[in-house]
Amino acid sequence: MGLSNKKEEQLRKMPLIQNRIKASRNGRYIIQQTVITSIKPIEYYNAVLANTVKVTDEPIGDDELMVEDGAELAKNIS
């Protein structure tokens, strides 16, 4: 039993996902690499760029940051 035309079209629109796993040259590490390839028409990116919002950098004050000691966090979780 084959796929319907609608399902085949959905599968064609999905991104291509490639996964590569290899050992490092010295053999001490495993390198896992995932590549996601998505193909979209130029008009799509032009529309996205035309609708972008300008963001301004504002410095964050010390009172806006939540800084806690790691040991204290571990005690609170336990």
Side-chain angles (χ1 to χ4, degrees), residues 66-78:
M66 290 182 58
V67 179
E68 294 185 47
D69 183 31
E72 288 298 320
L73 285 173
K75 286 180 188 176
N76 293 337
I77 293 173
S78 301

Side-chain angles (χ1 to χ4, degrees), residues 42-77:
I42 295 287
E43 294 83 18
Y44 171 81
Y45 288 103
N46 288 338
V48 169
L49 293 173
N51 293 317
T52 58
V53 176
K54 300 289 183 205
V55 178
T56 58
D57 276 342
E58 295 180 16
I60 298 175
D62 289 338
D63 59 332
E64 295 179 277
L65 296 175
M66 290 182 58
V67 179
E68 294 185 47
D69 183 31
E72 288 298 320
L73 285 173
K75 286 180 188 176
N76 293 337
I77 293 173

Side-chain angles (χ1 to χ4, degrees), residues 3-56:
L3 298 173
S4 68
N5 290 341
K6 182 178 179 181
K7 189 62 175 178
E8 285 182 11
E9 186 63 30
Q10 287 175 337
L11 292 173
R12 274 191 219 101
K13 290 181 179 180
M14 291 176 63
L16 174 65
I17 300 174
Q18 298 171 312
N19 192 24
R20 299 180 188 129
I21 299 174
K22 63 182 179 180
S24 64
R25 288 186 184 139
N26 62 8
R28 293 178 55 196
Y29 302 99
I30 295 293
I31 302 167
Q32 186 272 326
Q33 181 181 30
T34 302
V35 178
I36 300 173
T37 304
S38 178
I39 300 172
K40 303 242 188 277
I42 295 287
E43 294 83 18
Y44 171 81
Y45 288 103
N46 288 338
V48 169
L49 293 173
N51 293 317
T52 58
V53 176
K54 300 289 183 205
V55 178
T56 58

